[in-house]
Amino acid sequence: MLNETSDNSLIRNIAVIGSGLAGLTAAIFLGQLGHRVRVFEKSRGPGGRMASKRVADGSVDIGAQYFTGRNPEFLTFLERYAGRGCFGPWNATFGFQSAGDRWEPFPEETRYVGIPRMTAITRGLSEQVELTTQVRIARLHRSGDRWRLVCTEGREHGEYDQVVVTAPPAQTQELLAVSGLSTLLTATQPPGGGILPCWAVAAYFRDAPTAPFDAMRPDSDVLYWVANNSSKPGRNDAGEWWVLHATPEWTEANVDASAEKVCNDLLAEFRLLTGFGGTVDDSVAHRWLYARSASTAQPGYLWDQSEGVGIAGDWLVGGRVEGAWESASLLARAMQTG
Ligand code: FAD
């Protein structure tokens, strides 16, 4: 039975796949419980979708823009394991455009960001775990009652009693399918239905544009999100870096477009939105094939006790940064009793 647990306090070897917030959270909690944990990440560094892109004089948050701290335990966790100075409130103005072009403020809520960049948080957390980067796990292979992880280079990594998968849904489903984990695969089908793509552009202006808010959700077919990255704490940019995210529909229709076309189209819409007629001094585009979860199902986590394989990630709890943490915390707790 999925998500069934029983008391089990033995020290175990555990592999975690993915070093986004969910993977790092799971690794830290499981490590705190005394288990031997190793995290495998396919990219060069940790962070996943809490990503920042290096630009000429600093960096810009190209993925997650901010996060909430509705569960105070989340903020306590970040303070304790990532460090008090690496995140703080983003004291900006936030507005959305309702039909008829009216701008309204976002509901009152403290919104947090990494300082001086979003990746400061996952960098801090990654110092608490054993991390192997640039290894993409392609398959889990049973060896007696242990798991071996096979990477895309064909090498086997370790022997683990348990494995935690924190990749986005399509990648998780692929891994489960080739590893013969059919019960978990079936359980991922409903919530895995929709994770939406997003073209993101970071644009630099020596002469700052004027806009009704620092961060905006326009009523636009092209732009989903527009924000002045330089208004976040600790950025200290000369001039301003803005982040533009395309809507999922526009991204889907332009998924194979060149970065140049994407920059041009998103910036043209930005000019229409703000009335800005000045020069764009630099721009860079990034395509997210997996950005935000559209799923409404919220199972929290998935844990197959008989296989010793668990799944955590934002897409199992509402598709946000705080959801990623929540999901991994719940899974770690379930694994301790199972
Ligand atoms: P991820 O961050 O995706 O981590 C998964 C990790 O697994 C990645 O590092 C990946 O490289 C790795 N991986 C995958 N497959 C393998 C494999 N086979 N082997 C090894 N490693 C693997 N959330 C908010 O709360 N607020 C926002 O404003 C916001 N804006 C967003 C804007 C954009 C453009 C995007 C892309 C996301 C946004 N989000 C936002 C969502 C937020 O980023 C995610 O909810 C959160 O970061 C997900 O964390 P995660 O650990 O679950 O997954």
Side-chain angles (χ1 to χ4, degrees):
M1 276 281 284
L2 278 187
N3 290 11
E4 194 167 87
T5 60
S6 61
D7 186 40
N8 183 349
S9 45
L10 291 175
I11 300 304
R12 284 161 265 157
N13 279 342
I14 302 176
V16 174
I17 299 173
S19 69
L21 185 64
L24 295 173
T25 301
I28 288 171
F29 277 134
L30 291 166
Q32 288 297 310
L33 293 166
H35 302 300
R36 290 177 290 267
V37 185
R38 176 158 291 278
V39 181
F40 292 90
E41 169 57 51
K42 69 179 168 61
S43 303
R44 267 187 308 201
R49 281 171 281 158
M50 291 177 80
S52 312
K53 209 170 184 84
R54 291 269 171 205
V55 289
D57 57 348
S59 58
V60 184
D61 300 336
I62 202 88
Q65 296 294 290
Y66 66 82
F67 56 92
T68 54
R70 291 172 195 163
N71 182 341
E73 284 177 35
F74 176 38
L75 301 179
T76 306
F77 171 88
L78 291 183
E79 277 182 14
R80 178 154 180 209
Y81 296 110
R84 195 177 280 266
C86 77
F87 73 101
W90 182 15
N91 294 318
T93 56
F94 298 82
F96 67 93
Q97 199 174 27
S98 50
D101 277 1
R102 249 198 29 212
W103 284 99
E104 295 180 44
F106 274 26
E108 282 287 325
E109 176 164 35
T110 306
R111 296 175 175 87
Y112 297 88
V113 293
I115 299 174
R117 61 188 69 87
M118 201 52 110
T119 46
I121 294 169
T122 43
R123 287 271 163 206
L125 295 176
S126 71
E127 283 167 18
Q128 313 293 328
V129 305
E130 300 290 327
L131 174 65
T132 301
T133 56
Q134 294 183 286
V135 170
R136 184 185 193 122
I137 303 303
R139 189 164 56 88
L140 311 184
H141 168 67
R142 259 259 177 247
S143 164
D145 57 358
R146 300 276 185 92
W147 287 105
R148 289 187 180 161
L149 275 52
V150 185
C151 71
T152 44
E153 310 277 291
R155 286 197 307 274
E156 289 194 347
H157 298 263
E159 289 220 320
Y160 295 96
D161 304 301
Q162 296 176 332
V163 181
V164 171
V165 183
T166 68
Q171 293 165 334
T172 293
Q173 285 163 347
E174 205 180 303
L175 200 56
L176 296 174
V178 296
S179 308
L181 290 159
S182 52
T183 309
L184 276 170
L185 179 62
T186 307
T188 62
Q189 301 296 344
I195 188 154
L196 307 168
C198 175
W199 264 115
V201 166
Y204 177 65
F205 305 91
R206 246 177 240 120
D207 296 324
T210 48
F213 294 90
D214 299 314
M216 296 170 278
R217 284 280 297 273
D219 180 24
S220 158
D221 294 335
V222 181
L223 289 176
Y224 174 83
W225 171 260
V226 175
N228 178 0
N229 195 76
S230 305
S231 70
K232 294 180 176 180
R235 266 55 181 183
N236 302 325
D237 300 322
E240 287 183 357
W241 277 96
W242 284 70
V243 173
L244 318 178
H245 286 163
T247 60
E249 297 76 18
W250 191 91
T251 303
E252 261 158 26
N254 292 275
V255 79
D256 293 322
S258 68
E260 190 186 357
K261 175 186 158 43
V262 172
C263 285
N264 286 341
D265 288 4
L266 266 56
L267 281 160
E269 191 72 8
F270 176 76
R271 288 180 187 282
L272 278 179
L273 180 77
T274 57
F276 177 72
T279 310
V280 181
D281 295 293
D282 196 2
S283 62
V284 57
H286 181 90
R287 186 182 64 176
W288 294 99
L289 287 178
Y290 310 113
R292 293 183 193 82
S293 171
S295 169
T296 49
Q298 305 213 9
Y301 66 93
L302 296 168
W303 170 232
D304 188 336
Q305 187 183 3
S306 60
E307 297 284 10
V309 177
I311 299 173
D314 66 329
W315 54 286
L316 297 166
V317 189
R320 299 181 304 114
V321 166
E322 196 174 353
W325 177 82
E326 194 95 38
S327 173
S329 314
L330 291 169
L331 175 63
R333 206 170 303 149
M335 288 172 71
Q336 185 56 10
T337 46

